[in-house]
Amino acid sequence: MLQMNAFGMKPLGVACAAMSFFAATGAAEPLGRMYERLGSLQFKEREAAQVDLLYWGRSQPNSAMTELLAQSREASDPEVRKRCWDTLRELVMDQYMKEGEGYLGIGLQTEMVDVPGEVRPRAAVRVLRIQPDTPATKAGMQENDLIVSVNGEMWPEPVFREKIRTMKPETNLNLSIVRGGKVMPLKVTLGRRPLIADAPFFNGQPFDPGPAERAAKEAYFRRWLSLRKPGK
């Protein structure tokens, strides 16, 4: 899967040299026309059409998943069925990432600190370490930052850790941190808590979460499908 593009989408497969309809116009193409392009004889055209289909799906995920599931079963062209299936999986995985527990991706401890502008020392959460490719990294958090408030409230550890876990992925938080002797705001969007956060080691060895995460996603997709079998 490729990186998010300038339109906030995740193109499937290889980069599309053919211009997608959305990239060219900024608007969604009629659905019937997208299906026609999915079955094009031109590979680049099929790829571009799938980018557009994913954009359309993310604009109305609930109805799109129902439509794409039907097309993945009923479309006469096997290429269209496969690409609808792949796009459906992307949308279901979007849903998967919005469920579960909230996650920031930091190691932390509570300390009593002097907060600039305040008279008395008080509790703050010090960031001891930051896991790569996590919400904390994306927000620009740094080691030794002191989190002095979250949405205007202070949550000392272990309350801080538990509060984050009770929130849903994609929850937006407004933090106040102390860095370099100054209080500054920092906005962060929580992610989904990964398996490795609860089991960094297995039998004393570092735990590779990749296979387990992939299995969890596949199981989620299969459960989603099982609830939508024909006749249910």
Side-chain angles (χ1 to χ4, degrees), residues 48-112:
Q50 192 166 356
V51 169
D52 287 335
L53 189 66
L54 183 57
Y55 163 74
W56 168 79
R58 284 181 170 153
S59 71
Q60 45 189 327
N62 291 332
S63 58
M65 286 190 286
T66 300
E67 167 67 19
L68 291 172
L69 179 59
Q71 290 296 325
S72 71
R73 292 168 171 169
E74 300 168 5
S76 58
D77 187 334
E79 179 75 13
V80 174
R81 291 199 302 271
K82 180 182 184 304
R83 288 183 178 271
C84 285
W85 177 268
D86 291 344
T87 305
L88 171 65
R89 181 185 287 271
E90 287 282 339
L91 295 179
V92 175
M93 288 302 99
D94 286 350
Q95 182 175 288
Y96 170 83
M97 294 304 296
K98 293 177 182 178
E99 298 181 2
E101 299 178 342
Y103 180 66
L104 192 54
I106 62 174
L108 56 123
Q109 69 180 23
T110 298
E111 299 178 6
M112 295 299 294

Side-chain angles (χ1 to χ4, degrees), residues 69-212:
L69 179 59
Q71 290 296 325
S72 71
R73 292 168 171 169
E74 300 168 5
S76 58
D77 187 334
E79 179 75 13
V80 174
R81 291 199 302 271
K82 180 182 184 304
R83 288 183 178 271
C84 285
W85 177 268
D86 291 344
T87 305
L88 171 65
R89 181 185 287 271
E90 287 282 339
L91 295 179
V92 175
M93 288 302 99
D94 286 350
Q95 182 175 288
Y96 170 83
M97 294 304 296
K98 293 177 182 178
E99 298 181 2
E101 299 178 342
Y103 180 66
L104 192 54
I106 62 174
L108 56 123
Q109 69 180 23
T110 298
E111 299 178 6
M112 295 299 294
V113 300
D114 293 315
V115 179
E118 298 186 14
V119 177
R120 297 179 179 177
R122 65 177 177 88
V125 170
R126 182 177 294 278
V127 179
L128 300 178
R129 61 186 178 278
I130 302 175
Q131 298 297 331
D133 193 28
T134 59
T137 306
K138 296 171 184 176
M141 194 172 290
Q142 299 179 11
E143 291 183 0
N144 289 317
D145 280 348
L146 291 166
I147 302 173
V148 295
S149 73
V150 183
N151 292 342
E153 301 179 0
M154 181 53 216
W155 306 333
E157 163 66 16
V159 175
F160 183 94
R161 193 188 306 270
E162 293 307 313
K163 285 269 194 178
I164 294 295
R165 293 186 67 164
T166 61
M167 293 181 170
K168 287 294 185 182
E170 297 195 0
T171 298
N172 295 315
L173 300 179
N174 294 306
L175 310 183
S176 290
I177 66 171
V178 176
R179 180 187 297 168
K182 297 180 180 179
V183 179
M184 57 182 290
L186 187 70
K187 293 184 178 182
V188 61
T189 301
L190 297 181
R192 179 189 171 102
R193 187 174 179 84
L195 296 177
I196 195 172
D198 298 310
F201 295 94
F202 181 75
N203 289 337
Q205 299 297 318
F207 171 59
D208 177 8

Side-chain angles (χ1 to χ4, degrees), residues 17-73:
M19 179 69 73
S20 77
F21 184 90
F22 173 68
T25 67
E29 185 179 28
L31 187 57
R33 174 57 183 153
M34 278 190 276
Y35 289 148
E36 290 178 7
R37 293 171 55 221
L38 286 178
S40 169
L41 296 177
Q42 300 298 319
F43 173 76
K44 292 176 181 178
E45 183 67 16
R46 296 196 300 270
E47 290 285 290
Q50 192 166 356
V51 169
D52 287 335
L53 189 66
L54 183 57
Y55 163 74
W56 168 79
R58 284 181 170 153
S59 71
Q60 45 189 327
N62 291 332
S63 58
M65 286 190 286
T66 300
E67 167 67 19
L68 291 172
L69 179 59
Q71 290 296 325
S72 71
R73 292 168 171 169

